[in-house]
Amino acid sequence: MASVAGVYIARPASTGPQHRVVVGHQLFGIDASVRAFADRLAAEGCLVAVPDLYHRSAPGVELPQDDEGRARGFELLHGLDRDEVVADVAAAVDVLGGDPAGVGMVGLSIGGHAAYLAAARLGLAAAAVLYPGWLTGTQIPMSRPEPTVTLTPAITGRLLFLVGGADHVVPPGDVATVAAALRDSGVRHEVVVYPDTPHAFLLPGPPTYRPEPAADAWRRVLELITAS
């Protein structure tokens, strides 16, 4: 595994066929928890690239998962331009040496928003979108000029949408709006809502981690990626 030009790379041990995966990081940047997640995918036979979405304003930043880190993360989030984020994902696809139609993406929180956007703009084979905020509004630059959910008809690959039922960032109304857009657009998709589960439940470490939903989400993500 290595970090090359702002992209963290995790390589599988085997030299056989590899599933190519882009990972979209959370608010806190490419931190230890995201690298561990990429390494876990690599252990399952995936070649993984994690682009640094903050490389233009704070290259290599790893924010603490506390109030101060969260505040700085929101400052950086509000500097992420939609077209630049798509370009970063496209660059990660290039690093993997694959056509977007042969690459999957797993996005966490803001990385989930980036994955939904990339699925629509780049024609990815599959996208696992975990607890993505602000898909239905225009509160952040990534969701402008029109809400990202309005791009749903352009999605050609499979899409897995995973969210907690107690997620304060992705309320039930947003989940319903996204589910309706996916259904009405004929996108091959699955929406899974985990009851009584908060935002950011997947990665171990923070108090929001929930082992049982995390284990189920991991299984579903791996099935999606290895089938693409």
Side-chain angles (χ1 to χ4, degrees), residues 71-87:
R72 176 58 176 149
F74 275 109
E75 290 178 359
L76 295 172
L77 170 61
H78 281 277
L80 292 181
D81 171 82
R82 170 179 280 182
D83 290 339
E84 290 176 345
V85 168
V86 172

Side-chain angles (χ1 to χ4, degrees), residues 91-110:
V93 170
D94 288 343
V95 167
L96 295 175
D99 184 320
V103 174
M105 184 168 180
V106 183
L108 314 173
S109 193
I110 69 164

